[in-house]
Amino acid sequence: MAERKTIVIDPVTRIEGHSKITIHLDEQGQVEDARFHVTQFRGFEKFCEGRPFSEMPSLMARICGICPVSHLIASAKACDALLAVKIPPTAEKLRRIFGLAQVVQSHALSLFHLSSPDLLLGMDADPAKSNLFGVLEKEPQLARDGIALRKFGQQIIEQLGGKRIHPAWVVPGGVSDPLSPENRDGILKSIPEALAIAVRSIAWLKATIERFRGEIASFGNFPSLFMGTIKEDGGLTFYDGKIRFVDATGRVVADGLNPGRYFDFLGEKVESWSYLKSAYYKPKGFPDGIYRVGPLARLNVSDRCGTPCADQELAEFHELQRSAVLSSFHYHQARLIEILYSIERLEQLLNDPEILDPHVRALARPNSLEGVGAAEAPRGTLFHHYKIDEQGLIRWCNLIIATGQNNLAMNRSVLQVAQHYVKGEKITHGMLNRVEAVIRAYDPCLRCSTHAVGQMALKVQLLSPQGTVLDEVVRS
Amino acid sequence: MNRILIIAYGNPLRSDDGVAWQAAEELERILPDRAQVICVHQLTPELAEAASCSDLVVFVDASRDGNPGSVLCQLLSPESGDFHFSHHLTPQEILVICHRLYSAKPRAFLVSVCGECFDHGEQFTPAAISAIPRVLSLVRTAMEDRFPSSFEDAGTF
């Protein structure tokens, strides 16, 4: 009698954090299930209990070295709600600038440094070459462009926040310091080059993805809901707005939802095989309430970007499919469009006549014992929810992070790719790389929910139900 | 030696792993204006661009290898090899990127302080603290282009 088998990919490479994938084969050797496991433990919600609420932005920024700005912003907004203050208009604009710079540098990391080897060298490339060094051998300008965009975003963060990683500039009630004319002019001066890079990168990607029709068809190409924050006019935003859900046909399922009441429409489920919770849209229940967040979702829910070049690209993006754009392979293109939007929007904000106003912080004591802050992080909608006591000490904290919201979709995507590409009992690098690449398309940030140590080696084993190793591939 | 770049890397929330940041703070205070000091948690490709604009690059980090408090200095070059990148790079990989993308070959050293404790914390062990003056001395020596003849702290030249 034939045996059921399991393929384990542990850990998954070129993503942020540690995870593994298991692929379960039936007696005929066909893929019957696949799971994306997050193998790190997260403790931030617990260990912040008892800390003064004013420490939360700095504490929460430590969740991640890639997207600390998003946690700073969401956390500070939750603290604004505790203070029950309206922050000064210039502080809000400066926070927007901060967040957009983060989008540029984070998306550039994902696309240019982590996913471009797949896109440039192909999914079946030699694993020894399928990395940044392979990219700089084959297309050095692309590598230089990635570095330049990362530097552009990081320099803005550094100029505003004082340092690139874990800046403490965003504070409850606003920001700690105003923007100086020198820094504003310096950033403005760097915008034309960044814009030119974004434009030619989109042109490169659109030409490149023609070679990936098979992957587009099978990389998370399934119906689901999409969630994102939009402005009142339906425009793309990263800082504030209302929540919109659209379904796979592009129809608006829910609109104008208050992110401060996320618990009314989002549920979370814990699975025994992963430390990452799975979020779902409550009205549809679990698991039918599967939804996606992040660049693909934001562009699916947005009617417009509100900046000229990005709007042209968005219109073209919406034409990729008559319905919502369903394939998760298109996260890459969506990411570049958001980079383009962010650069254009940065220029608008920096040219705002009030942007140098020194009044950037509202001071107050806590006026509410509960507060929610939400923002669009590069990877998707981020919620911070705090409850404090009369002394201002944190008594309860809940974080809903993009990667958790994409968890169901990532699992389904892994299954789809595995069913399409995994054949028989012999493991090939191309097969494995595609399974990993679909996860990379989501750009999961596992550090956002956990704490990571160690190296990212890749070990794949094909196991019998008794645990016998039938095949093994190791990458160091 | 006109343009000098000091890249200190490590995690300042992991006790001795952050000793390079402490050394960098001292270096920033004593070095001339033509020296740029950057503190980072890990090495990323963007640093290659900054390195390409420098004549001398000194990487300072903490290491688990060796006797606590000892300092190891190593001359670096952008030799080809089997390179990988996920989220962080080695100093040599930074130099490879610097060479291949920007056609620059700055003189480069790695100065490693052997730490004793890498647990969570912001305090340094006495061994790590005691190594900082030697780090400063080595950086000054590198700036004066006196390597390797006057080099005393043992290195892999």
Side-chain angles (χ1 to χ4, degrees), chain A residues 112-113 116-118 120-121 125-140 142-143, chain B residues 81 83-85 96-97 100-101:
Chain A
F112 290 90
H113 293 356
S116 73
D118 297 330
L120 188 69
L121 307 171
D126 175 0
K129 296 276 183 191
S130 194
N131 54 45
L132 182 65
F133 293 93
V135 172
L136 64 87
E137 287 286 348
K138 183 163 185 182
E139 197 65 66
L142 186 71
Chain B
F83 298 122
H84 300 281
F85 171 71
V96 170
I97 297 174
R100 293 191 191 168
L101 286 187

Side-chain angles (χ1 to χ4, degrees), chain A residues 16 131 137 144 151 451, chain B residues 14 49 83 87 100-101:
Chain A
E16 176 46 52
N131 54 45
E137 287 286 348
R144 276 192 289 270
K151 184 181 170 189
H451 168 69
Chain B
R14 283 277 187 171
E49 198 262 353
F83 298 122
H87 282 77
R100 293 191 191 168
L101 286 187

Side-chain angles (χ1 to χ4, degrees), chain A residues 14-16 66 109 113-114 131-133 136-137 140 143-144 147 150-151 154 165-166 451 453 456, chain B residues 13-14 40-41 44-47 49 82-89 93 96-97 100-102 120:
Chain A
R14 277 192 281 139
I15 63 168
E16 176 46 52
I66 303 293
L109 172 70
H113 293 356
L114 303 181
N131 54 45
L132 182 65
F133 293 93
L136 64 87
E137 287 286 348
R144 276 192 289 270
I147 286 175
R150 278 269 290 165
K151 184 181 170 189
Q154 286 180 319
I165 300 175
H166 305 320
H451 168 69
V453 291
M456 288 191 184
Chain B
L13 298 179
R14 283 277 187 171
V40 290
H41 288 76
T44 53
E46 302 75 56
L47 294 168
E49 198 262 353
D82 189 15
F83 298 122
H84 300 281
F85 171 71
S86 187
H87 282 77
H88 64 90
L89 297 159
E93 287 169 336
V96 170
I97 297 174
R100 293 191 191 168
L101 286 187
Y102 305 105
H120 291 111

